[in-house]
Amino acid sequence: MTPFQRLPLASLRIFEAAGRTGSFAVAAQELGLSPSAVSHAIRKMEAVARLHLFQRSTRAIRLTREGQVLLDHVQRGLEEMSRGFDVLSANPAVPLRLHAAPAFASQWLIPHLAGFVREHPDIGLRLSSDTVYASFDTDDFDLDIVYGEPPPSAHEKTPLLIERLTPLCSPALADRIRTPQDLYAVPLIHSDGQSVQWKGWFKANGLPIPDTYGLAFDRTSMAISAAVDGLGVVMESTFLTEREMASGRLVAPLLHNSHTVRYVAHYLVHPRRAEQHGAAMRFKQWLLAELALSQTVSHLSDG
């Protein structure tokens, strides 16, 4: 029998409170116990687990390295148990925890979120965005929208849509671009984070690769903004730039007389579970439907 199997849930709750507050007295007050009862429970837990969880002095306690590692896991475990009860009781206060790639979040998701909020007013949403994939085991996300095909795992992954990459620029700069060869005479904006770079587009169109670029950015949103401001031509997804193209701030001067690079850029990833988080599945259904509509509108506008 493992130490975990021999420990009552009450001991874990006491340990979590003491580790989080850094005080046996505060933990005791929070849990309705005496400080001596908290101290006794912690010592018993350390004996059963054969771990030294706290460094004690006359005035304070402090988690050891072992204690901090265990606290991180216990807090996630208690939170998941709490979420399980909330989900089964259909508690509307439980937020949907969504992680998304930065460009997807800022360029497409946030502009479309009003539709989801309107259709699902009972679902709270917590959105985080960076370039690090969610792990689900060591963080608290329900869904992840990632850029690039995720590495092999036990998680379920759904390709979202085929995106098309083409040169985009301001209408004023577009007057100077009639053929692909005209790109050699204008500043090209490079986006460091793209899976397909300018060299991939030139290669796909059978053209020599330029030696230099006008500007380089490490965020797609900055590269798009630079193109809107007339600083050069960006090679970007028509999906991620649908707002800028619909408003006329960006145009695609070579869309119909060059080869457009097509690829699946984004995937929806979530753990495989027998009982899925209801809000997560509702968001997934909305997302896929909204993407299908967005892709249809994009194709009609190209025609």
Side-chain angles (χ1 to χ4, degrees):
M1 183 178 293
T2 66
F4 174 73
Q5 293 171 316
R6 299 202 305 270
L7 286 170
L9 179 60
S11 295
L12 298 178
R13 290 175 58 84
I14 292 171
F15 166 68
E16 190 280 331
R20 171 170 42 82
T21 63
S23 168
F24 287 170
V26 175
Q29 185 176 11
E30 181 180 299
L31 298 171
L33 301 170
S34 67
S36 61
V38 171
S39 178
H40 177 74
I42 295 297
R43 288 192 182 279
K44 184 175 180 180
M45 181 174 174
E46 288 178 318
V48 171
R50 296 182 180 178
L51 295 173
H52 183 47
L53 302 176
F54 289 95
Q55 291 180 348
R56 298 164 174 84
S57 67
T58 55
R59 295 185 178 181
I61 61 168
R62 186 163 60 90
L63 284 165
T64 63
R65 185 191 65 80
E66 292 176 325
Q68 185 60 63
V69 171
L70 185 60
L71 179 65
D72 292 341
H73 286 276
V74 168
Q75 285 179 326
R76 286 198 299 270
L78 291 174
E79 182 180 350
E80 282 303 310
M81 286 188 281
S82 176
R83 274 184 75 79
F85 282 103
D86 288 335
V87 168
L88 292 176
S89 62
N91 186 347
V94 179
L96 171 63
R97 302 165 300 183
L98 175 64
H99 183 270
F104 188 97
S106 62
Q107 291 294 128
W108 189 88
L109 181 57
I110 292 176
H112 285 258
L113 267 184
F116 178 78
V117 173
R118 185 170 54 251
E119 294 176 24
H120 304 282
D122 59 314
I123 298 178
L125 179 64
R126 194 178 82 194
L127 174 61
S128 298
S129 178
D130 57 43
T131 57
V132 180
Y133 292 163
S135 68
F136 303 111
D137 295 325
T138 57
D139 53 42
D140 61 354
F141 294 113
D142 299 302
L143 299 169
D144 192 9
I145 300 171
V146 307
Y147 178 69
E149 185 170 2
S153 72
H155 304 316
E156 183 173 334
K157 65 178 182 180
T158 304
L160 293 183
L161 78 164
I162 298 175
E163 297 183 34
R164 296 168 298 159
L165 297 174
T166 190
L168 302 170
C169 62
S170 65
L173 189 54
D175 291 338
R176 298 164 54 185
I177 303 171
R178 303 298 180 186
T179 68
Q181 288 75 12
D182 293 332
L183 291 175
Y184 295 105
V186 297
L188 301 182
I189 298 173
H190 180 76
S191 183
D192 293 338
Q194 278 186 324
S195 296
V196 181
Q197 305 282 353
W198 265 115
K199 61 182 180 181
W201 186 89
F202 278 99
K203 184 177 180 180
N205 282 273
L207 295 170
I209 300 171
D211 295 328
T212 60
Y213 301 96
L215 295 168
F217 299 93
D218 67 353
R219 286 290 183 270
T220 294
S221 58
M222 291 194 293
I224 292 172
S225 294
V228 168
D229 289 336
L231 298 181
V233 183
V234 67
M235 194 271 297
E236 192 48 77
S237 162
T238 57
F239 163 71
L240 290 180
T241 56
E242 65 175 22
R243 281 188 306 166
E244 290 80 4
M245 295 185 70
S247 66
R249 290 177 292 161
L250 284 181
V251 296
L254 300 176
L255 185 61
H256 300 297
N257 62 342
S258 66
H259 179 75
T260 300
V261 177
R262 298 169 183 255
Y263 75 128
V264 177
H266 293 90
Y267 293 76
L268 179 66
V269 183
H270 60 80
R272 298 180 187 272
R273 291 173 177 151
E275 293 293 334
Q276 296 288 354
H277 183 350
M281 293 304 99
R282 287 159 67 186
F283 181 88
K284 180 178 180 178
Q285 292 171 356
W286 170 84
L287 176 67
L288 296 179
E290 195 75 9
L291 287 171
L293 178 62
S294 183
Q295 192 167 36
T296 299
V297 171
S298 175
H299 286 168
L300 289 175
S301 65
D302 289 346

